[in-house]
Amino acid sequence: MNAPARKPTMSRETLLPPMMAHVIAEGLGQASLRPLAKAAGTSDRMLIYHFGTKEQLVTDLLAHVAGVYAAVLDAAIAGAEPPATRGELLARLLAQNGDPAMQPFLMLWWEIVGGAARGLPGFRPAAQAMVGKLLGWLEAQMPPGDPDPAGGARLLLTVVEGTLMLSSLGHAETAREGLLAGGLLPT
Amino acid sequence: MNAPARKPTMSRETLLPPMMAHVIAEGLGQASLRPLAKAAGTSDRMLIYHFGTKEQLVTDLLAHVAGVYAAVLDAAIAGAEPPATRGELLARLLAQNGDPAMQPFLMLWWEIVGGAARGLPGFRPAAQAMVGKLLGWLEAQMPPGDPDPAGGARLLLTVVEGTLMLSSLGHAETAREGLLAGGLLPT
DNA sequence: GTGACTCTGTAGCGAATGCTACGTCAGCTT
DNA sequence: AAGCTGACGTAGCATTCGCTACAGAGTCAC
């Protein structure tokens, strides 16, 4: 009655997406081999076979996360008309990142930042890739005619990251009040 | 020849400082009972005896970290003359936090933020206590005659946190350029 | 066929995890 | 003196950790 058990032939590429979904949902701290394998529909034995080491698995997984993040930004830049002012761009950014759907990714982001700060293998390259990508995206999205797109993008990057951190702690309103007081957000 | 082995009678209060030193040095992720006990000069058995549960231990430990942080801020506010401008205050903050001696605490901070974002028990109260304390400290340190001390403090808080995050990833210069472009830092 | 190679399942290793059972010993009260 | 209590050590439990040894099944070249 049952099919003759086809051969899926798992590879690193097919294993990474479900594992990424797992770490986004459960966190990197709880990412041990057996739960990861279960999420990917395989066994811990197979994960070691494909990646060699858990450390290499985490490195590859973080690189994959950075790649997906870059792809999301690339997709977002395609169908977007440029904002008129820096404030409008900032408001757009905060609206996107304040979306509750973004929260699981933000939880993962803080673990990546912490790992990068501690120098854990694979964390810093992934974090720098994502920050670098976001910075480039911001430069490309700066309002036309902006007097200093490079500096403005760096300002927005700093302000957005600070706001996201405070938002993760339940201080989103505090950050918003600060940005309004600083004239960075349109009223 | 040797003294008759005095009885130190460990309590929660005497155990917390060496454990805090341990988590600052090694991180919360590696904070299991036996290493923590070794750092405090006792055994895992005694940690459970005093705190009841590891979860309660972590909660108490984070509260203790928040208390020490608040005490440090209180000490810093005592012998400080007020800055002349917001930019000067911001420069002072970034100089303090850019100190390499602060880096181990920053590593711990990202773990606390991550735990708070995930809702781990004890993390969010500790993180909110520290952010709230820093915000109050900033309000008290705002330049005299500032038109909007409350809003300005919130702006500086957001900007400082964003800068610290980027600094932890090796993007300190990026944040600095942004703050200069935004006129928030004096040239 | 026969061997070589790739992929995968089962079983298990030694270490570390949080926590408990049990006993000891000092100091107190009665 | 007898008993109680709080502080501590020793030993161990069940579970999970990353990882390995070994065997089986499928495919391909010869």
Side-chain angles (χ1 to χ4, degrees), chain B residues 161-177:
Chain B
E161 296 293 352
T163 301
L164 291 183
M165 205 221 71
L166 291 174
S167 298
S168 288
L169 303 184
H171 271 80
E173 201 52 38
T174 301
R176 179 175 189 78
E177 292 165 3

mmCIF file with all atom_site columns, all heavy atoms in Angstrom, chain B residues 161-177:
data_model
loop_
_atom_site.group_PDB
_atom_site.id
_atom_site.type_symbol
_atom_site.label_atom_id
_atom_site.label_alt_id
_atom_site.label_comp_id
_atom_site.label_asym_id
_atom_site.label_entity_id
_atom_site.label_seq_id
_atom_site.pdbx_PDB_ins_code
_atom_site.Cartn_x
_atom_site.Cartn_y
_atom_site.Cartn_z
_atom_site.occupancy
_atom_site.B_iso_or_equiv
_atom_site.pdbx_formal_charge
_atom_site.auth_seq_id
_atom_site.auth_comp_id
_atom_site.auth_asym_id
_atom_site.auth_atom_id
_atom_site.pdbx_PDB_model_num
ATOM 1   N N   . GLU B 1 161 ? 22.327 53.003 22.192 1.00 0.00 ? 161 GLU B N   1
ATOM 2   C CA  . GLU B 1 161 ? 22.134 51.560 22.072 1.00 0.00 ? 161 GLU B CA  1
ATOM 3   C C   . GLU B 1 161 ? 22.447 51.083 20.661 1.00 0.00 ? 161 GLU B C   1
ATOM 4   O O   . GLU B 1 161 ? 23.071 50.025 20.475 1.00 0.00 ? 161 GLU B O   1
ATOM 5   C CB  . GLU B 1 161 ? 20.704 51.186 22.459 1.00 0.00 ? 161 GLU B CB  1
ATOM 6   C CG  . GLU B 1 161 ? 20.360 51.473 23.924 1.00 0.00 ? 161 GLU B CG  1
ATOM 7   C CD  . GLU B 1 161 ? 21.135 50.581 24.889 1.00 0.00 ? 161 GLU B CD  1
ATOM 8   O OE1 . GLU B 1 161 ? 21.814 49.665 24.427 1.00 0.00 ? 161 GLU B OE1 1
ATOM 9   O OE2 . GLU B 1 161 ? 21.064 50.824 26.117 1.00 0.00 ? 161 GLU B OE2 1
ATOM 10  N N   . GLY B 1 162 ? 22.000 51.844 19.666 1.00 0.00 ? 162 GLY B N   1
ATOM 11  C CA  . GLY B 1 162 ? 22.329 51.466 18.295 1.00 0.00 ? 162 GLY B CA  1
ATOM 12  C C   . GLY B 1 162 ? 23.827 51.481 18.051 1.00 0.00 ? 162 GLY B C   1
ATOM 13  O O   . GLY B 1 162 ? 24.376 50.575 17.404 1.00 0.00 ? 162 GLY B O   1
ATOM 14  N N   . THR B 1 163 ? 24.488 52.478 18.582 1.00 0.00 ? 163 THR B N   1
ATOM 15  C CA  . THR B 1 163 ? 25.943 52.556 18.404 1.00 0.00 ? 163 THR B CA  1
ATOM 16  C C   . THR B 1 163 ? 26.640 51.389 19.087 1.00 0.00 ? 163 THR B C   1
ATOM 17  O O   . THR B 1 163 ? 27.578 50.797 18.535 1.00 0.00 ? 163 THR B O   1
ATOM 18  C CB  . THR B 1 163 ? 26.467 53.879 18.974 1.00 0.00 ? 163 THR B CB  1
ATOM 19  O OG1 . THR B 1 163 ? 25.825 54.967 18.304 1.00 0.00 ? 163 THR B OG1 1
ATOM 20  C CG2 . THR B 1 163 ? 27.967 53.998 18.787 1.00 0.00 ? 163 THR B CG2 1
ATOM 21  N N   . LEU B 1 164 ? 26.196 51.037 20.282 1.00 0.00 ? 164 LEU B N   1
ATOM 22  C CA  . LEU B 1 164 ? 26.825 49.923 20.992 1.00 0.00 ? 164 LEU B CA  1
ATOM 23  C C   . LEU B 1 164 ? 26.660 48.623 20.209 1.00 0.00 ? 164 LEU B C   1
ATOM 24  O O   . LEU B 1 164 ? 27.584 47.800 20.140 1.00 0.00 ? 164 LEU B O   1
ATOM 25  C CB  . LEU B 1 164 ? 26.222 49.785 22.382 1.00 0.00 ? 164 LEU B CB  1
ATOM 26  C CG  . LEU B 1 164 ? 26.550 50.917 23.353 1.00 0.00 ? 164 LEU B CG  1
ATOM 27  C CD1 . LEU B 1 164 ? 25.956 50.637 24.716 1.00 0.00 ? 164 LEU B CD1 1
ATOM 28  C CD2 . LEU B 1 164 ? 28.047 51.116 23.459 1.00 0.00 ? 164 LEU B CD2 1
ATOM 29  N N   . MET B 1 165 ? 25.471 48.441 19.635 1.00 0.00 ? 165 MET B N   1
ATOM 30  C CA  . MET B 1 165 ? 25.260 47.219 18.867 1.00 0.00 ? 165 MET B CA  1
ATOM 31  C C   . MET B 1 165 ? 26.205 47.167 17.676 1.00 0.00 ? 165 MET B C   1
ATOM 32  O O   . MET B 1 165 ? 26.876 46.146 17.448 1.00 0.00 ? 165 MET B O   1
ATOM 33  C CB  . MET B 1 165 ? 23.818 47.143 18.398 1.00 0.00 ? 165 MET B CB  1
ATOM 34  C CG  . MET B 1 165 ? 23.353 45.743 18.141 1.00 0.00 ? 165 MET B CG  1
ATOM 35  S SD  . MET B 1 165 ? 22.369 45.685 16.663 1.00 0.00 ? 165 MET B SD  1
ATOM 36  C CE  . MET B 1 165 ? 23.615 45.936 15.423 1.00 0.00 ? 165 MET B CE  1
ATOM 37  N N   . LEU B 1 166 ? 26.278 48.248 16.940 1.00 0.00 ? 166 LEU B N   1
ATOM 38  C CA  . LEU B 1 166 ? 27.163 48.253 15.777 1.00 0.00 ? 166 LEU B CA  1
ATOM 39  C C   . LEU B 1 166 ? 28.620 48.096 16.212 1.00 0.00 ? 166 LEU B C   1
ATOM 40  O O   . LEU B 1 166 ? 29.409 47.428 15.532 1.00 0.00 ? 166 LEU B O   1
ATOM 41  C CB  . LEU B 1 166 ? 26.967 49.547 14.983 1.00 0.00 ? 166 LEU B CB  1
ATOM 42  C CG  . LEU B 1 166 ? 25.602 49.645 14.285 1.00 0.00 ? 166 LEU B CG  1
ATOM 43  C CD1 . LEU B 1 166 ? 25.415 51.009 13.640 1.00 0.00 ? 166 LEU B CD1 1
ATOM 44  C CD2 . LEU B 1 166 ? 25.460 48.546 13.240 1.00 0.00 ? 166 LEU B CD2 1
ATOM 45  N N   . SER B 1 167 ? 28.975 48.683 17.336 1.00 0.00 ? 167 SER B N   1
ATOM 46  C CA  . SER B 1 167 ? 30.346 48.541 17.824 1.00 0.00 ? 167 SER B CA  1
ATOM 47  C C   . SER B 1 167 ? 30.669 47.091 18.133 1.00 0.00 ? 167 SER B C   1
ATOM 48  O O   . SER B 1 167 ? 31.781 46.616 17.871 1.00 0.00 ? 167 SER B O   1
ATOM 49  C CB  . SER B 1 167 ? 30.555 49.395 19.073 1.00 0.00 ? 167 SER B CB  1
ATOM 50  O OG  . SER B 1 167 ? 30.358 50.769 18.773 1.00 0.00 ? 167 SER B OG  1
ATOM 51  N N   . SER B 1 168 ? 29.714 46.381 18.698 1.00 0.00 ? 168 SER B N   1
ATOM 52  C CA  . SER B 1 168 ? 29.957 44.981 19.030 1.00 0.00 ? 168 SER B CA  1
ATOM 53  C C   . SER B 1 168 ? 30.201 44.143 17.780 1.00 0.00 ? 168 SER B C   1
ATOM 54  O O   . SER B 1 168 ? 30.776 43.056 17.865 1.00 0.00 ? 168 SER B O   1
ATOM 55  C CB  . SER B 1 168 ? 28.765 44.408 19.803 1.00 0.00 ? 168 SER B CB  1
ATOM 56  O OG  . SER B 1 168 ? 28.732 44.927 21.118 1.00 0.00 ? 168 SER B OG  1
ATOM 57  N N   . LEU B 1 169 ? 29.742 44.632 16.648 1.00 0.00 ? 169 LEU B N   1
ATOM 58  C CA  . LEU B 1 169 ? 29.946 43.894 15.399 1.00 0.00 ? 169 LEU B CA  1
ATOM 59  C C   . LEU B 1 169 ? 31.147 44.417 14.631 1.00 0.00 ? 169 LEU B C   1
ATOM 60  O O   . LEU B 1 169 ? 31.408 43.966 13.513 1.00 0.00 ? 169 LEU B O   1
ATOM 61  C CB  . LEU B 1 169 ? 28.690 44.016 14.520 1.00 0.00 ? 169 LEU B CB  1
ATOM 62  C CG  . LEU B 1 169 ? 27.397 43.538 15.156 1.00 0.00 ? 169 LEU B CG  1
ATOM 63  C CD1 . LEU B 1 169 ? 26.265 43.619 14.154 1.00 0.00 ? 169 LEU B CD1 1
ATOM 64  C CD2 . LEU B 1 169 ? 27.540 42.135 15.698 1.00 0.00 ? 169 LEU B CD2 1
ATOM 65  N N   . GLY B 1 170 ? 31.867 45.370 15.208 1.00 0.00 ? 170 GLY B N   1
ATOM 66  C CA  . GLY B 1 170 ? 33.000 45.938 14.496 1.00 0.00 ? 170 GLY B CA  1
ATOM 67  C C   . GLY B 1 170 ? 32.628 47.084 13.580 1.00 0.00 ? 170 GLY B C   1
ATOM 68  O O   . GLY B 1 170 ? 33.412 47.479 12.731 1.00 0.00 ? 170 GLY B O   1
ATOM 69  N N   . HIS B 1 171 ? 31.426 47.608 13.738 1.00 0.00 ? 171 HIS B N   1
ATOM 70  C CA  . HIS B 1 171 ? 30.967 48.723 12.916 1.00 0.00 ? 171 HIS B CA  1
ATOM 71  C C   . HIS B 1 171 ? 30.923 50.025 13.716 1.00 0.00 ? 171 HIS B C   1
ATOM 72  O O   . HIS B 1 171 ? 30.077 50.888 13.463 1.00 0.00 ? 171 HIS B O   1
ATOM 73  C CB  . HIS B 1 171 ? 29.586 48.445 12.333 1.00 0.00 ? 171 HIS B CB  1
ATOM 74  C CG  . HIS B 1 171 ? 29.618 47.748 11.013 1.00 0.00 ? 171 HIS B CG  1
ATOM 75  N ND1 . HIS B 1 171 ? 29.801 46.405 10.883 1.00 0.00 ? 171 HIS B ND1 1
ATOM 76  C CD2 . HIS B 1 171 ? 29.505 48.209 9.737  1.00 0.00 ? 171 HIS B CD2 1
ATOM 77  C CE1 . HIS B 1 171 ? 29.777 46.061 9.599  1.00 0.00 ? 171 HIS B CE1 1
ATOM 78  N NE2 . HIS B 1 171 ? 29.598 47.145 8.888  1.00 0.00 ? 171 HIS B NE2 1
ATOM 79  N N   . ALA B 1 172 ? 31.816 50.176 14.659 1.00 0.00 ? 172 ALA B N   1
ATOM 80  C CA  . ALA B 1 172 ? 31.812 51.390 15.471 1.00 0.00 ? 172 ALA B CA  1
ATOM 81  C C   . ALA B 1 172 ? 31.988 52.634 14.589 1.00 0.00 ? 172 ALA B C   1
ATOM 82  O O   . ALA B 1 172 ? 31.328 53.665 14.794 1.00 0.00 ? 172 ALA B O   1
ATOM 83  C CB  . ALA B 1 172 ? 32.910 51.320 16.524 1.00 0.00 ? 172 ALA B CB  1
ATOM 84  N N   . GLU B 1 173 ? 32.855 52.508 13.599 1.00 0.00 ? 173 GLU B N   1
ATOM 85  C CA  . GLU B 1 173 ? 33.129 53.676 12.755 1.00 0.00 ? 173 GLU B CA  1
ATOM 86  C C   . GLU B 1 173 ? 31.895 54.054 11.929 1.00 0.00 ? 173 GLU B C   1
ATOM 87  O O   . GLU B 1 173 ? 31.616 55.245 11.706 1.00 0.00 ? 173 GLU B O   1
ATOM 88  C CB  . GLU B 1 173 ? 34.318 53.365 11.845 1.00 0.00 ? 173 GLU B CB  1
ATOM 89  C CG  . GLU B 1 173 ? 35.015 54.598 11.306 1.00 0.00 ? 173 GLU B CG  1
ATOM 90  C CD  . GLU B 1 173 ? 35.384 55.578 12.414 1.00 0.00 ? 173 GLU B CD  1
ATOM 91  O OE1 . GLU B 1 173 ? 35.782 55.138 13.527 1.00 0.00 ? 173 GLU B OE1 1
ATOM 92  O OE2 . GLU B 1 173 ? 35.250 56.789 12.178 1.00 0.00 ? 173 GLU B OE2 1
ATOM 93  N N   . THR B 1 174 ? 31.165 53.044 11.493 1.00 0.00 ? 174 THR B N   1
ATOM 94  C CA  . THR B 1 174 ? 29.941 53.308 10.733 1.00 0.00 ? 174 THR B CA  1
ATOM 95  C C   . THR B 1 174 ? 28.968 54.143 11.567 1.00 0.00 ? 174 THR B C   1
ATOM 96  O O   . THR B 1 174 ? 28.410 55.140 11.085 1.00 0.00 ? 174 THR B O   1
ATOM 97  C CB  . THR B 1 174 ? 29.277 51.974 10.339 1.00 0.00 ? 174 THR B CB  1
ATOM 98  O OG1 . THR B 1 174 ? 30.188 51.213 9.556  1.00 0.00 ? 174 THR B OG1 1
ATOM 99  C CG2 . THR B 1 174 ? 28.012 52.223 9.555  1.00 0.00 ? 174 THR B CG2 1
ATOM 100 N N   . ALA B 1 175 ? 28.779 53.731 12.808 1.00 0.00 ? 175 ALA B N   1
ATOM 101 C CA  . ALA B 1 175 ? 27.854 54.478 13.667 1.00 0.00 ? 175 ALA B CA  1
ATOM 102 C C   . ALA B 1 175 ? 28.369 55.901 13.892 1.00 0.00 ? 175 ALA B C   1
ATOM 103 O O   . ALA B 1 175 ? 27.601 56.868 13.834 1.00 0.00 ? 175 ALA B O   1
ATOM 104 C CB  . ALA B 1 175 ? 27.698 53.754 14.999 1.00 0.00 ? 175 ALA B CB  1
ATOM 105 N N   . ARG B 1 176 ? 29.669 56.019 14.106 1.00 0.00 ? 176 ARG B N   1
ATOM 106 C CA  . ARG B 1 176 ? 30.239 57.345 14.351 1.00 0.00 ? 176 ARG B CA  1
ATOM 107 C C   . ARG B 1 176 ? 30.010 58.279 13.159 1.00 0.00 ? 176 ARG B C   1
ATOM 108 O O   . ARG B 1 176 ? 29.640 59.442 13.335 1.00 0.00 ? 176 ARG B O   1
ATOM 109 C CB  . ARG B 1 176 ? 31.738 57.199 14.643 1.00 0.00 ? 176 ARG B CB  1
ATOM 110 C CG  . ARG B 1 176 ? 32.430 58.514 14.879 1.00 0.00 ? 176 ARG B CG  1
ATOM 111 C CD  . ARG B 1 176 ? 33.900 58.322 15.294 1.00 0.00 ? 176 ARG B CD  1
ATOM 112 N NE  . ARG B 1 176 ? 34.468 59.581 15.711 1.00 0.00 ? 176 ARG B NE  1
ATOM 113 C CZ  . ARG B 1 176 ? 34.241 60.126 16.908 1.00 0.00 ? 176 ARG B CZ  1
ATOM 114 N NH1 . ARG B 1 176 ? 33.479 59.500 17.777 1.00 0.00 ? 176 ARG B NH1 1
ATOM 115 N NH2 . ARG B 1 176 ? 34.767 61.290 17.215 1.00 0.00 ? 176 ARG B NH2 1
ATOM 116 N N   . GLU B 1 177 ? 30.219 57.740 11.963 1.00 0.00 ? 177 GLU B N   1
ATOM 117 C CA  . GLU B 1 177 ? 29.993 58.557 10.763 1.00 0.00 ? 177 GLU B CA  1
ATOM 118 C C   . GLU B 1 177 ? 28.537 58.995 10.668 1.00 0.00 ? 177 GLU B C   1
ATOM 119 O O   . GLU B 1 177 ? 28.240 60.136 10.283 1.00 0.00 ? 177 GLU B O   1
ATOM 120 C CB  . GLU B 1 177 ? 30.395 57.759 9.514  1.00 0.00 ? 177 GLU B CB  1
ATOM 121 C CG  . GLU B 1 177 ? 31.896 57.504 9.401  1.00 0.00 ? 177 GLU B CG  1
ATOM 122 C CD  . GLU B 1 177 ? 32.237 56.419 8.383  1.00 0.00 ? 177 GLU B CD  1
ATOM 123 O OE1 . GLU B 1 177 ? 31.283 55.916 7.720  1.00 0.00 ? 177 GLU B OE1 1
ATOM 124 O OE2 . GLU B 1 177 ? 33.408 56.061 8.275  1.00 0.00 ? 177 GLU B OE2 1
#
